[in-house]
Amino acid sequence: MRIVIAGGHGQIALRLERLLAARGDEAAGIIRRAEQADDLREAGAGPIVCDLESASVEEVAGHLEGADAAVFAAGAGPGSGVDRKFTVDRDAAILFADAAGRAGVRRFLAVSSMGADPEHPGDDVFDVYLRAKGEADAYIRAHKSLDWTILRPGMLTSDAGTGLVRLEAHTGRGMIPRDDVAAVLAELVDTPATAGLVLEVISGSTPISVAVKSIAGN
């Protein structure tokens, strides 16, 4: 499979790229800065330099041509201001979804956030982030050209992954290593029966492959 990942230099994305490359898939990561390319190559992924805040749908669709799946894992980051919550966390996700649809890439995964809600109140940066993510999720969910799955992790940590998770429509709050989020994404890419689901994931007691197969069968 060829999988194109938006936000290819992010902490979850780099982990996902390593997993995909290790199992023989062709991973490509979209990055904003050319100097990030070597990190992607080390992870086994092909770098694509493209700024999703300024690119056109046609340009991004060209990078997605021939892909079997697309993963939106980009984010403005914790140090960014209000404006980039909209231009990256919302608008870039919408652009990437539209580009995937135009390129004929049906399988689409999006990394969102617990609490994402287009009606989330408040003007603090984190409130705006949750609202921007919620608006992006709502757009993706209404997209007729995509077999989408939205993943909403709990609080992210840099601990080593355990391979054990709780994956449900609603898990409640909790923490999860980025290693395990990446492993869940890798499993979801291969599980189209999860299309149309919004899933929360935190650390738990169920092996990732079992958790994904279980939710796909519900």
Side-chain angles (χ1 to χ4, degrees), residues 181-192:
V181 176
V184 169
L185 288 168
E187 195 76 27
L188 288 172
V189 165
D190 282 343
T191 314

Side-chain angles (χ1 to χ4, degrees), residues 85-142:
K85 302 306 181 191
F86 289 117
T87 59
V88 178
D89 293 292
R90 182 192 64 188
D91 297 346
I94 289 171
L95 172 76
F96 198 58
D98 284 344
R102 184 163 301 193
V105 182
R106 291 205 61 90
R107 189 71 179 116
F108 189 92
L109 306 181
V111 181
S112 184
S113 175
M114 276 195 189
D117 183 346
E119 304 299 326
H120 185 85
D123 296 317
D124 289 343
V125 172
F126 191 65
D127 293 324
V128 173
Y129 168 75
L130 292 177
R131 191 158 60 248
K133 278 291 193 185
E135 290 175 3
D137 290 356
Y139 187 89
I140 291 165
R141 293 173 72 174

Side-chain angles (χ1 to χ4, degrees), residues 17-160:
E17 287 154 8
R18 292 187 191 100
L19 291 174
L20 294 173
R23 74 184 193 189
D25 286 326
E26 179 188 348
I30 294 177
I31 53 177
R32 284 195 304 129
R33 300 195 298 272
E35 58 266 28
Q36 298 171 331
D38 285 345
D39 291 337
L40 268 71
R41 294 189 186 100
E42 288 179 12
I48 299 170
V49 180
C50 177
D51 187 347
L52 294 177
E53 290 180 88
S54 59
S56 66
V57 171
E58 291 78 11
E59 179 184 351
V60 180
H63 294 309
L64 284 162
E65 287 291 340
D68 300 291
V71 180
F72 185 82
S80 59
V82 165
D83 289 348
R84 296 198 73 229
K85 302 306 181 191
F86 289 117
T87 59
V88 178
D89 293 292
R90 182 192 64 188
D91 297 346
I94 289 171
L95 172 76
F96 198 58
D98 284 344
R102 184 163 301 193
V105 182
R106 291 205 61 90
R107 189 71 179 116
F108 189 92
L109 306 181
V111 181
S112 184
S113 175
M114 276 195 189
D117 183 346
E119 304 299 326
H120 185 85
D123 296 317
D124 289 343
V125 172
F126 191 65
D127 293 324
V128 173
Y129 168 75
L130 292 177
R131 191 158 60 248
K133 278 291 193 185
E135 290 175 3
D137 290 356
Y139 187 89
I140 291 165
R141 293 173 72 174
H143 212 294
K144 304 300 184 186
S145 300
L146 304 176
D147 295 328
W148 55 264
T149 304
I150 294 171
L151 186 66
R152 294 176 170 176
M155 184 179 295
L156 298 170
T157 76
S158 295
D159 298 336

Side-chain angles (χ1 to χ4, degrees), residues 114 151-154 165-167 171 176 184 199-203:
M114 276 195 189
L151 186 66
R152 294 176 170 176
V165 298
R166 181 179 175 189
L167 180 69
T171 62
I176 184 168
V184 169
L199 301 171
E200 295 181 352
V201 64
I202 58 175
S203 291

